[in-house]
Amino acid sequence: WGDPHIISFDGVKYDVHVKGELPFLKSTDPANDFTVQARTVPVKNHPKGPAVTSGVVVHKTGEPTIQVSLGEDTDSAHASVFTVNSNDCPVQLFVDGQARDITTGTGLTDATVQVKGNR
């Protein structure tokens, strides 16, 4: 079960094939503005054009805003390229809008990004 399939906190399963910017998670507590927003785009060279998640932003006021995105290609600015099943996957990391090398993490003690193997 994975992209763009979602399981809600109450166990409901969804297929999300809309394209664009969408909230994946938003706090309902007025004192907590925690949000997770995602960008979905059509799968390239697929006849039916399903969506795939191409970026995720995690935000909470007073905390670093973390964005992880897939680059358009291996020459994308600020991308680290991972090879998975002989396919190159350019990944970009931004912390508070500043590009970071995803292989070295966020550079912060209170926000981390881990790369496990080729994932």
Side-chain angles (χ1 to χ4, degrees):
W1 198 258
D3 182 46
H5 312 292
I6 298 171
I7 301 174
S8 65
F9 290 110
D10 59 355
V12 177
K13 296 178 180 180
Y14 295 92
D15 285 340
V16 179
H17 290 287
V18 297
K19 287 89 176 172
E21 308 275 335
L22 12 143
F24 270 18
L25 175 71
K26 184 173 182 173
S27 174
T28 58
D29 178 354
N32 182 353
D33 68 345
F34 180 76
T35 60
V36 176
Q37 179 177 328
R39 176 182 306 119
T40 60
V41 296
V43 174
K44 291 181 181 178
N45 302 318
H46 192 288
K48 294 185 180 181
V52 63
T53 303
S54 65
V56 176
V57 175
V58 178
H59 171 79
K60 180 177 181 350
T61 298
E63 301 294 334
T65 297
I66 307 294
Q67 174 183 336
V68 178
S69 300
L70 297 177
E72 288 291 317
D73 55 47
T74 57
D75 294 326
S76 295
H78 314 295
S80 297
V81 179
F82 297 90
T83 302
V84 180
N85 298 329
S86 301
N87 295 305
D88 289 336
C89 180
V91 181
Q92 301 162 306
L93 169 66
F94 298 89
V95 178
D96 289 332
Q98 299 295 313
R100 302 282 307 192
D101 180 350
I102 198 167
T103 63
T104 60
T106 63
L108 305 168
T109 57
D110 53 353
T112 60
V113 173
Q114 294 180 321
V115 176
K116 292 185 176 189
N118 286 332
R119 300 174 187 220

